[in-house]
């Protein structure tokens, strides 16, 4: 990577650090959630936040919207919601004797789908088109959504009445699923101090144009073929766990993750590397995002669901069973930049024979 590209990555990382700090002025704790939301923004991937009421899911999304700038919409999902309530509809104009299209609140850069599992199937179907195709169809015409476009959905795991389970196809459209825990005691004390009177408000650090530029920087981060092979092996291990010494998972996994999970881990790994200030992706980046990318995509067997199996625990087993490629970095004399000994400036030095798969579909795995 050239000096100009390294400078671009360093500048982008510093900008993202300022944005994260601005969000954390308002959101106490929940550092993983905040970082994952920024990853989704960089990777152009929608995010599903799951947690009990009152753990700052909605506040975090609103604050991110303030920091990013652009347009923001909040959709409160209810059982009586109709598709036209979010996508828009045709309206008869008597003065012109014509139908005009009134675009719905989905036409925004950041869309908060609050309590998404309260909406019925028709609404979920309309939202699925918007998430997957970045467009909305109204009266037979397609209307493109703004760029950037990101859906951040929340759901409450403890409610059982008046809610609809998200279909597998829709869960697969979310790049990341983030479990939002309770704050620690010290964090809750800070919440009382900071939010009880005159809560702070985040300032805009980015613009939609800045976000698009940062997304392109993330797209350009280097991914060694061994890292790509490693993440593909992770997805294959969910489909054929016996090949990786996990035969007991055959009775727990009904269907493994799709190739969309591989693409998701690649995009999320690049986003995480940029947030960490690196111009290349490490195997540890892929291992770190694997659970958030794959756990909601696993389809568990009936027996596993009945036994209360945790999809994240299954993914952790898979990550532990699939060996990471052995790589190392070499610092320059100033200790600031990594170089590869073989001539490509990508931060890697081979320490053992690595797989030779690349992006053309070569076979990987044992």
């Amino acid at each position: 990577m050239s000096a100009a590209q390294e400078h671009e990555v360093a500048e982008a990382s510093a900008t993202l650090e300022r944005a994260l700090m601005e969000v954390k002025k308002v959101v106490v704790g929940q550092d993983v959630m905040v970082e994952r939301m920024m990853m989704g923004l960089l990777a152009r991937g929608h995010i599903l936040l799951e947690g009990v009421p009152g753990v700052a899911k909605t506040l975090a999304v609103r604050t991110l919207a303030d920091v990013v700038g652009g347009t923001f919409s909040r959709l409160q999902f209810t059982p009586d919601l109709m598709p036209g309530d979010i996508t828009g509809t045709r309206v008869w104009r008597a003065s012109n004797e014509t139908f005009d299209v009134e675009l719905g609140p989905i036409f925004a850069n950041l869309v908060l789908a609050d309590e998404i599992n309260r909406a019925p199937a028709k609404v979920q179907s309309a939202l699925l088109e918007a998430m997957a195709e970045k467009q909305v169809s109204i009266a037979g015409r397609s209307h493109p959504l703004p760029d950037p476009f990101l859906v951040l959905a929340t759901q409450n795991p403890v409610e059982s009445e008046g809610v609809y389970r998200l279909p597998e196809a829709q869960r697969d459209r979310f790049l990341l699923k983030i479990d939002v825990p309770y704050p620690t005691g010290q964090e809750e004390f800070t919440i009382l101090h900071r939010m009880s009177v005159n809560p702070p408000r985040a300032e805009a650090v980015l613009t939609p144009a800045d976000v698009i530029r940062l997304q392109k920087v993330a797209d350009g981060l280097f991914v060694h073929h061994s890292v790509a092979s490693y993440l593909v092996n992770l997805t294959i291990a969910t489909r054929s766990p016996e090949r990786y010494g996990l035969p007991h998972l055959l009775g727990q996994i009904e269907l493994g993750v799709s190739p969309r999970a591989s693409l998701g881990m690649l995009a999320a790994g690049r986003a995480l590397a940029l947030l960490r200030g690196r111009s290349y992706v490490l195997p540890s980046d892929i291992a770190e995002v694997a659970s958030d990318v794959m756990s909601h995509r696993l389809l568990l067997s009936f027996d596993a669901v009945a036994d209360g199996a945790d999809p994240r625990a299954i993914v952790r087993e898979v990550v532990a069973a699939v060996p990471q490629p052995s790589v190392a970095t070499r610092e320059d004399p100033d200790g600031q930049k990594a170089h590869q000994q073989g001539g490509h400036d990508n931060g890697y030095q081979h320490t053992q024979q690595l797989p030779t798969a690349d992006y053309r579909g070569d076979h990987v795995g044992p």
Side-chain angles (χ1 to χ4, degrees):
M1 182 170 284
S2 67
Q5 291 172 314
E6 290 282 1
H7 177 73
E8 184 181 41
V9 169
E11 187 180 61
S13 180
T15 301
L16 291 168
E17 183 67 21
R18 291 198 303 272
L20 286 172
M21 290 300 103
E22 196 66 26
V23 174
K24 292 176 183 180
K25 279 173 48 178
V26 178
V27 181
V28 178
Q30 307 295 3
D31 290 346
V32 173
M33 174 181 66
V34 172
E35 183 181 63
R36 295 298 190 264
M37 289 196 305
M38 192 64 73
M39 283 171 49
L41 190 64
L42 292 173
R44 305 179 185 86
H46 310 294
I47 297 173
L48 180 62
L49 303 170
E50 184 174 276
V52 298
V55 291
K57 300 186 300 295
T58 302
L59 175 65
V61 176
R62 282 187 174 276
T63 304
L64 180 66
D66 291 337
V67 172
V68 169
T71 53
F72 171 71
S73 290
R74 180 180 184 272
L75 306 175
Q76 182 63 53
F77 280 42
T78 57
D80 60 347
L81 199 67
M82 298 296 291
D85 295 332
I86 65 172
T87 61
T89 187
R90 292 199 304 169
V91 177
W92 172 253
R93 303 294 186 191
S95 59
N96 300 328
E97 296 187 349
T98 58
F99 281 100
D100 290 341
V101 174
E102 290 285 346
L103 300 180
I106 194 71
F107 287 85
N109 295 119
L110 267 73
V111 177
L112 168 59
D114 221 351
E115 296 186 303
I116 187 175
N117 53 338
R118 285 188 174 276
K122 285 186 177 181
V123 177
Q124 301 290 1
S125 178
L127 183 64
L128 181 61
E129 181 193 7
M131 294 170 60
E133 307 298 334
K134 305 295 178 66
Q135 68 177 26
V136 166
S137 297
I138 304 174
R141 291 184 57 191
S142 297
H143 301 268
L145 291 165
D147 187 24
F149 173 71
L150 181 67
V151 173
L152 297 107
T154 70
Q155 68 175 6
N156 184 348
V158 299
E159 291 183 334
S160 58
E161 295 187 6
V163 298
Y164 300 83
R165 186 174 179 271
L166 293 184
E168 285 76 10
Q170 186 164 359
R171 294 206 310 269
D172 194 44
R173 295 296 180 180
F174 287 102
L175 172 67
L176 304 170
K177 178 177 179 290
I178 307 169
D179 294 333
V180 186
Y182 282 117
T184 64
Q186 182 59 44
E187 289 171 348
E188 194 153 351
F189 181 82
T190 305
I191 291 171
L192 291 176
H193 177 72
R194 185 183 302 180
M195 306 298 291
S196 58
V197 179
N198 296 325
R201 182 68 181 257
E203 301 293 332
V205 174
L206 305 172
T207 65
D210 292 330
V211 173
I212 294 173
R213 177 179 59 83
L214 292 169
Q215 289 173 342
K216 291 179 179 178
V217 173
D219 292 342
L221 297 196
F222 180 83
V223 179
H224 195 271
H225 65 78
S226 63
V227 177
S229 179
Y230 170 62
L231 70 86
V232 170
N233 285 336
L234 288 176
T235 61
I236 292 176
T238 67
R239 306 169 203 161
S240 304
E242 74 282 359
R243 294 171 58 184
Y244 295 84
L246 300 171
H248 61 284
L249 295 184
L250 286 171
Q252 299 186 50
I253 301 176
E254 186 74 22
L255 286 175
V257 299
S258 70
R260 190 176 286 123
S262 297
L263 294 170
M265 278 193 287
L266 184 63
R270 281 187 163 123
L272 182 60
L274 183 59
L275 285 169
R276 302 284 166 82
R278 277 185 275 103
S279 59
Y280 51 88
V281 180
L282 290 173
S284 58
D285 296 328
I286 303 301
E288 185 172 341
V289 303
S291 179
D292 292 329
V293 173
M294 292 199 296
S295 62
H296 61 288
R297 290 183 162 93
L298 284 178
L299 182 60
L300 302 185
S301 66
F302 178 82
D303 290 340
V305 174
D307 293 338
D310 181 6
R312 288 190 180 273
I314 292 176
V315 174
R316 286 195 294 269
E317 280 194 69
V318 169
V319 172
V322 177
Q324 293 187 18
S326 298
V327 295
T329 60
R330 185 183 67 176
E331 301 291 342
D332 67 351
D334 295 327
Q336 297 297 320
K337 189 171 75 170
H339 296 275
Q340 184 186 8
Q341 290 183 340
H344 295 289
D345 185 11
N346 56 29
Y348 287 93
Q349 169 190 344
H350 289 260
T351 58
Q352 67 175 35
Q353 183 65 35
L354 297 174
T356 58
D358 58 22
Y359 304 105
R360 297 170 296 179
D362 296 344
H363 175 73
V364 295

